[in-house]
Amino acid sequence: MLTSVFRAYVPPIVLFRKCLPGEKDYHRSDIVDHLSAIGLLTKLDGVLNVMTIDDFVFDGDDTVITPDTYFTKLLPKQFVRSRDLALDAIREGLTLNGLINIPVQFSVLPFEVVSKLAFSIPDMSADDVIAVLKPKYSDEQIAKEEQEFFFHNILKQFLKDKAEEEEEENKKKFDVDTSFLSQFVKFCTGLNYLPYRISNPEYSIVIEFNFLQCTPEDLPVAHTCENTMKIHGSAYNNDREKFEGKLMMAIESTDGCFGMK
């Protein structure tokens, strides 16, 4: 999959190393697993033997999508060949079309430092996520105390508990892309990673409490363009179990979607 360099500029993209037709290490089951893990797996009901390549990539290719052409034609066009222009533009932009020798400029810095400062942290912890959360309380003063309690005691503790639960599971099978924290961040922002705080000090995920645009029983709503998760001002009456159920339903219902409804 993409390094943080490319994820930061042309998300979401997947580059399949040694996964193109003809490669000896090409395994279709692995491709399906990877696409599913990052929420990019296309649902094939009503697609196979009905739609064409052109319906997805708009290149005039009228080849019907079959189980074979899905892997041999559609996926390479979607995630490799169609990105050539974008990747070339990134290369030209970073180097000023070859005028700047990037390796020389950053030769004195470890790659991990350059990657963090310029792009994103490769993994995230509950503390990383909590550090970027910013509450937006409602104007109703009578509810502010309950909202503050929810933000500091329920939401933050919930994220910590989920991270601890998955830490034990990840000792057996490590999978960053499908961790709850990355799913939560993706739900709120559309991206499953966080930028490095030092180079992006103003970055935040807003938790908005709203009486007017939400009802007490609504699922949490995400506005990814604004990095905002919105819930009703009553904050589910500070019922953690109820909030957890609502949030998990919201995340599952929007998995793989960019626009959050």
Side-chain angles (χ1 to χ4, degrees):
M1 282 179 283
L2 278 182
T3 64
S4 57
V5 172
F6 294 113
R7 285 189 307 167
Y9 283 90
V10 281
I13 304 174
V14 176
L15 291 180
F16 301 113
R17 298 192 180 101
K18 296 185 178 181
C19 291
L20 292 175
E23 298 280 359
K24 65 179 181 179
D25 294 326
Y26 180 76
H27 300 292
R28 293 182 176 182
S29 60
D30 292 336
I31 300 300
V32 171
D33 290 342
H34 293 160
L35 287 172
S36 178
I38 59 177
L40 292 177
L41 183 63
T42 301
K43 293 181 174 60
L44 298 180
D45 294 340
V47 172
L48 292 180
N49 301 314
V50 176
M51 301 182 73
T52 68
I53 302 294
D54 180 63
D55 292 326
F56 284 86
V57 298
F58 311 106
D59 66 348
D61 189 342
D62 60 359
T63 301
V64 175
I65 299 174
T66 65
D68 182 63
T69 59
Y70 176 75
F71 290 96
T72 61
K73 287 194 173 185
L74 178 61
L75 291 185
K77 285 189 175 184
Q78 275 189 308
F79 300 115
V80 182
R81 299 187 188 110
S82 66
R83 308 296 180 173
D84 287 346
L85 181 61
L87 296 178
D88 284 343
I90 291 173
R91 176 186 57 78
E92 292 177 7
L94 289 175
T95 65
L96 293 182
N97 201 20
L99 293 177
I100 296 178
N101 190 323
I102 293 295
V104 171
Q105 295 294 323
F106 295 122
S107 61
V108 297
L109 296 175
F111 175 76
E112 292 77 9
V113 173
V114 176
S115 179
K116 285 183 178 181
L117 288 174
F119 305 107
S120 66
I121 53 177
D123 306 318
M124 69 179 80
S125 67
D127 288 337
D128 292 328
V129 177
I130 290 172
V132 301
L133 297 182
K134 179 180 179 180
K136 183 178 180 181
Y137 302 118
S138 65
D139 295 331
E140 291 77 0
Q141 291 298 318
I142 192 172
K144 187 175 181 180
E145 184 176 340
E146 286 75 13
Q147 293 170 4
E148 290 177 339
F149 181 87
F150 173 88
F151 181 79
H152 293 289
N153 297 280
I154 293 183
L155 176 59
K156 291 183 178 181
Q157 190 59 50
F158 168 65
L159 295 175
K160 290 181 179 179
D161 291 345
K162 291 292 290 186
E164 290 177 1
E165 291 173 11
E166 290 188 340
E167 185 176 359
E168 291 300 317
E169 297 176 5
N170 289 341
K171 290 179 181 178
K172 302 176 182 178
K173 182 179 180 182
F174 183 71
D175 191 346
V176 174
D177 287 322
T178 56
S179 72
F180 174 76
L181 291 177
S182 65
Q183 289 178 333
F184 174 75
V185 171
K186 182 180 179 182
F187 173 72
C188 296
T189 69
L191 302 173
N192 61 353
Y193 62 90
L194 293 172
Y196 194 53
R197 288 298 305 280
I198 292 178
S199 56
N200 297 271
E202 301 302 319
Y203 182 90
S204 65
I205 295 176
V206 177
I207 307 300
E208 179 178 342
F209 299 86
N210 194 297
F211 281 101
L212 300 178
Q213 299 176 1
C214 307
T215 69
E217 297 302 315
D218 280 351
L219 300 180
V221 176
H223 298 279
T224 57
C225 293
E226 301 173 350
N227 290 359
T228 297
M229 183 180 79
K230 187 180 298 184
I231 66 173
H232 187 258
S234 64
Y236 302 109
N237 294 318
N238 284 329
D239 184 333
R240 171 171 162 165
E241 184 176 351
K242 184 175 183 179
F243 164 68
E244 181 174 350
K246 295 282 189 180
L247 179 60
M248 297 305 293
M249 287 178 61
I251 291 176
E252 290 171 4
S253 67
T254 56
D255 185 35
C257 302
F258 181 76
M260 305 305 181
K261 298 181 179 180

